[in-house]
């Protein structure tokens, strides 16, 4: 085959596009919730260990596999993986990755559309003089599709389709479109993030409201940043930490391989991969944890945050909290915060479109327009159930299967392919070729043994998660000849569908929680 003609316009473009891919809704919405739900300071240590032992290795694996594939003019995981392993099965593993992208993009762009809508409502002052329960109610009505707060029927559907169309239009411009989106979105995102984080950190005593006189922003930060070592023995926390690391670094789906396939043969990947990873972590642990948690804790108290931590929290509370800063400031805060979410979201959802487009190009020679529109059509078909049936917890099912389980499975398989089929010696050469930094030699060992082993452990624990995550109780029960009681969230139960009903029930309750509680 001929060498690929398409390539990133500049090194800056590549870095911003890769950073845009990684930095997403995961950093600002998913991380704080995961941290809070898993014990705050108890979450941080497993999280950082997962970053070093699985995150960085997988980044190196994906960047080098991608650039390797690009040498043979391959731009999608089915072709890249096929070129690394002899057996045909690797091509199908690659195809599996493509469909993960489509399932994730389906619900991811939905949150993106909420962000855009909330930018508009912040500008038009919709939230002015609303009470906390009214703001929460606004969200509940919005996602209940047909009952809408603004009088526009199916507002949520309309904006969902609009955001999807925007993604398609940018994607049909190819790498140049992605670079441009990243060049506009990323600097603004960082700027907005810093402004809001400074505000969150300096909220201090001024955050007190008459409603919650004990509320204090620092309680939230202390809770997050006081390490607790007892959690190291809790598999549930490890699972959540690993899941968050995969999601936030965008590994386990093939988007990084696809971006890396357009890097020139002799160009550095080691330094780029590691810096993109650290940049994402900076945005996540510094900016991501300095906004929602301290601001919500500052006004509503840490107890409230612990009880209500959930995905919609940022939409159900932030517009109200911003109002407390004064009407004028609230407009800016709303635009900064939801604008930040929108930019974070779109630079990531664009990345999720490229594996499909690359595959259609590799397989059928399809051009960008055809690739982008067919991707959009698939995303719409996959996405409509999440939008129309939000109340029934379909959304959470997607996040669980596509956004968590599939990433771990794919990452496990690609780690095996890289170290054991392609071969770690060849792999290590690929990683270091053209490299501008020296990756410590221990990483060769880590990539070969530790990463696949940890991935296997994570996968197995997900498979057999015991009832209510009571690991120690179930282990001693088994040792005493008793039973292992599976949790509804365990993979086995989910696969056999026993847990489905209860899960949907929980999800329905969750989405109404804030509203009910503030009523
Ligand atoms: N990393 C993105 C985030 O943090 C999500 C993502 C996952 C993007 C996988 C692309 C691929 O939100
Ligand atoms: Na991220």
């Amino acid at each position: 085959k001929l060498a690929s003609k398409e390539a990133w316009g500049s090194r800056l473009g590549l870095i911003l596009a890769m950073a845009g891919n990684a930095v997403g809704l995961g950093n600002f919405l998913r991380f704080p919730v995961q941290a809070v739900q898993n014990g705050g300071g108890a979450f941080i240590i497993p999280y950082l260990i997962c970053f070093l032992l699985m995150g960085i290795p997988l980044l190196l694996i994906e960047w080098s596999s991608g650039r390797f594939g690009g040498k043979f003019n391959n731009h999608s995981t089915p072709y890249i993986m096929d070129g690394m392993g002899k057996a045909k099965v690797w091509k199908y593993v690659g195809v599996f990755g493509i469909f993960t992208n489509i399932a994730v993009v389906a619900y991811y762009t939905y949150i993106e559309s909420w962000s855009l809508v909330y930018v508009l409502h912040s500008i038009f002052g919709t939230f002015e003089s609303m009470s906390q329960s009214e703001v929460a109610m606004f969200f509940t009505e919005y996602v209940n599709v047909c009952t809408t707060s603004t009088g526009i029927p199916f507002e949520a559907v309309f904006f969902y389709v609009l955001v999807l169309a925007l993604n398609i239009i940018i994607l049909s411009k190819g790498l140049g479109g992605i670079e441009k989106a990243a060049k506009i979105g990323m600097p603004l995102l960082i700027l907005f993030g810093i402004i809001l984080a400074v505000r969150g950190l300096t909220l201090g005593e001024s955050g007190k409201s008459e409603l919650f006189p004990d509320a204090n922003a620092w309680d939230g930060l202390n809770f997050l940043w006081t390490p607790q070592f007892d959690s190291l023995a809790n598999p549930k926390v490890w699972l959540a930490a690993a899941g968050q690391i995969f999601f936030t670094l965008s590994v386990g789906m093939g988007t990084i391989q696809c971006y890396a396939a357009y890097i020139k043969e002799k160009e550095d990947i080691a330094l780029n991969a590691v810096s993109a990873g650290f940049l994402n972590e900076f945005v996540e642990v510094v900016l991501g944890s300095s906004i929602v948690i301290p601001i919500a804790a500052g006004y509503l108290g840490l107890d409230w945050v612990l009880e209500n931590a959930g995905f919609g929290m940022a939409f159900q509370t932030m517009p109200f909290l911003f109002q407390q800063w004064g009407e004028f400031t609230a407009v800016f805060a709303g635009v900064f915060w939801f604008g930040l979410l929108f930019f974070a979201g779109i630079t990531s959802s664009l990345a999720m479109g490229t594996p499909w487009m690359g595959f259609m190009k590799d397989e059928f020679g399809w051009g960008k327009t055809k690739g982008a529109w067919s991707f959009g059509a698939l995303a719409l078909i996959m996405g409509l159930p999440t939008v129309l049936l939000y109340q029934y917890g379909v959304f959470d099912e997607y996040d669980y299967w596509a956004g968590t389980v599939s990433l771990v499975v794919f990452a496990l398989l690609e780690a095996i392919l890289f170290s054991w089929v392609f071969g770690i010696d060849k792999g290590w050469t690929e990683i270091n070729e053209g490299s501008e930094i020296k990756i410590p030699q221990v990483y060769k060992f880590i990539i070969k043994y530790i990463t696949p082993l940890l991935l296997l452990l994570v996968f197995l624990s997900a498979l057999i998660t015991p009832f209510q995550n009571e690991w120690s109780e179930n282990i001693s029960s088994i040792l005493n000849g008793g039973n292992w009681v599976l949790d509804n969230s365990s993979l086995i139960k989910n696969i056999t569908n026993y847990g489905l009903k209860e899960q949907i029930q929980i999800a329905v309750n969750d989405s109404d929680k804030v509203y009910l509680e503030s009523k």
Side-chain angles (χ1 to χ4, degrees):
K1 279 190 193 173
L2 293 167
S4 171
K5 276 175 252 114
E6 214 184 346
W8 294 102
S10 65
R11 176 148 187 181
L12 182 70
L14 164 70
I15 296 274
L16 286 175
M18 278 286 197
N21 177 349
V23 173
L25 301 168
N27 300 52
F28 295 97
L29 299 179
R30 206 172 186 271
F31 173 76
V33 170
Q34 290 294 321
V36 162
Q37 285 176 343
N38 289 284
F43 180 76
I44 298 303
I45 300 166
Y47 173 84
L48 292 175
I49 295 176
C50 287
F51 172 62
L52 293 176
L53 295 184
M54 292 193 278
I56 293 279
L58 284 164
L59 284 175
L60 292 170
I61 289 176
E62 296 199 348
W63 278 73
S64 58
S65 307
R67 190 188 56 181
F68 174 79
K71 289 179 196 171
F72 304 94
N73 205 17
N74 293 328
H75 307 93
S76 62
T77 43
Y79 278 74
I80 294 169
M81 294 173 102
D82 191 43
M84 293 172 69
K86 299 255 154 4
K88 255 282 149 302
V89 64
W90 295 112
K91 185 167 181 182
Y92 297 108
V93 173
V95 173
F96 164 68
I98 305 257
F99 282 96
T100 308
N101 278 286
I102 293 167
V104 173
V105 90
Y107 72 86
Y108 203 89
T109 40
Y110 190 32
I111 310 173
E112 222 170 285
S113 72
W114 301 348
S115 313
L116 183 63
V117 169
Y118 271 60
V119 168
L120 299 176
H121 283 302
S122 302
I123 295 173
F124 294 129
T126 309
F127 305 114
E128 256 170 49
S129 68
M130 270 195 186
S131 68
Q132 165 61 45
S133 63
E134 282 167 334
V135 169
M137 186 53 188
F138 179 89
F139 179 76
T140 308
E141 282 190 3
Y142 182 85
V143 292
N144 282 358
V145 181
C146 347
T147 54
T148 165
S149 351
T150 53
I152 311 170
F154 296 98
E155 187 187 7
V157 181
F158 174 79
F159 278 98
Y160 176 63
V161 175
L162 188 77
V163 163
L164 215 48
L166 193 61
N167 274 277
I168 296 168
I169 290 166
I170 299 174
L171 281 173
S172 60
K173 307 232 179 309
L175 295 185
I178 295 171
E179 273 186 73
K180 199 160 195 181
K183 279 181 180 161
I184 298 169
M186 288 308 287
L188 283 175
L189 179 159
I190 303 266
L191 178 72
F192 293 170
I194 290 175
I195 294 173
L196 289 164
V198 168
R199 180 66 189 156
L201 297 176
T202 53
L203 204 56
E205 291 295 293
S206 73
K208 278 193 177 164
S209 73
E210 284 149 35
L211 247 62
F212 299 90
D214 295 330
N216 183 348
W218 287 103
D219 286 349
L221 289 165
N222 284 333
F223 175 70
L224 275 186
W225 293 109
T226 311
Q228 280 145 19
F229 294 92
D230 53 342
S231 69
L232 290 176
N234 184 350
K236 178 203 167 210
V237 177
W238 282 95
L239 273 180
Q244 178 58 25
I245 281 295
F246 294 147
F247 192 89
T248 192
L249 292 176
S250 304
V251 297
M253 267 168 51
T255 60
I256 294 182
Q257 290 90 324
C258 185
Y259 275 21
Y262 295 99
I263 298 174
K264 288 175 204 105
E265 222 174 287
K266 293 263 145 35
E267 243 181 282
D268 163 90
I269 48 161
L271 177 63
N272 282 336
V274 173
S275 5
F278 274 91
L279 177 68
N280 180 69
E281 290 314 296
F282 166 77
V283 175
E284 181 145 306
V285 295
V286 180
L287 300 184
S289 66
S290 312
I291 302 176
V292 188
I293 304 290
I295 292 178
Y299 282 107
L300 305 166
L302 180 60
D303 289 337
W304 190 94
V305 173
L306 293 182
E307 248 170 68
N308 292 286
F311 205 64
M313 189 169 80
F315 294 90
Q316 289 161 322
T317 59
M318 296 300 263
F320 171 72
L321 304 180
F322 292 154
Q323 294 299 325
Q324 314 309 305
W325 301 349
E327 257 170 41
F328 186 66
T329 319
V331 173
F332 281 95
V335 170
F336 287 178
W337 169 242
F338 294 109
L340 170 157
L341 289 182
F342 180 71
F343 288 133
I346 196 160
T347 49
S348 295
S349 60
L350 289 173
M352 295 176 213
T354 55
W356 168 266
M357 290 171 64
F359 184 38
M360 291 302 103
K361 177 177 167 176
D362 290 345
E363 181 86 29
F364 304 117
W366 284 12
K368 289 171 202 130
T369 310
K370 213 167 161 189
W373 285 93
S374 56
F375 164 73
L378 281 174
L380 186 65
I381 293 167
M382 288 289 278
L384 277 180
T386 67
V387 178
L388 298 175
L389 304 173
Y390 181 86
Q391 297 105 294
Y392 303 103
V394 174
F395 192 96
D396 303 78
E397 289 291 317
Y398 273 58
D399 187 46
Y400 179 70
W401 288 105
T404 312
V405 177
S406 304
L407 301 190
V408 177
V409 173
F410 186 92
L412 173 62
L413 295 172
E414 74 178 336
I416 294 171
L417 172 66
F418 188 84
S419 296
W420 297 91
V421 179
F422 186 62
I424 186 66
D425 289 327
K426 255 167 95 187
W428 190 247
T429 312
E430 278 300 325
I431 289 173
N432 288 295
E433 171 148 61
S435 152
E436 290 171 16
I437 48 164
K438 187 132 185 50
I439 304 279
Q441 194 73 22
V442 299
Y443 264 101
K444 190 174 174 185
F445 177 83
I446 294 175
I447 291 173
K448 184 172 180 188
Y449 297 105
I450 310 284
T451 309
L453 206 68
L454 280 176
L455 279 160
L456 195 64
L457 275 176
V458 168
F459 178 66
L460 290 178
S461 343
L463 212 53
I464 58 158
T465 309
F467 185 58
Q468 294 188 334
N469 278 298
E470 297 289 359
W471 288 85
S472 39
E473 276 174 31
N474 273 275
I475 289 170
S476 52
S477 149
I478 276 272
L479 293 177
N480 294 317
N483 288 324
W484 184 275
V485 189
L486 288 172
D487 194 76
N488 284 332
S489 71
S490 72
L491 255 184
I492 298 188
K493 267 220 168 175
N494 270 289
I495 289 167
T496 51
N497 252 345
Y498 294 139
L500 205 59
K501 246 205 203 127
E502 287 91 328
Q503 274 202 340
I504 288 177
Q505 198 52 47
I506 291 165
V508 171
N509 292 342
D510 268 358
S511 64
D512 292 331
K513 215 165 158 191
V514 173
Y515 165 55
L516 288 174
E517 257 160 28
S518 49
K519 221 165 106 174

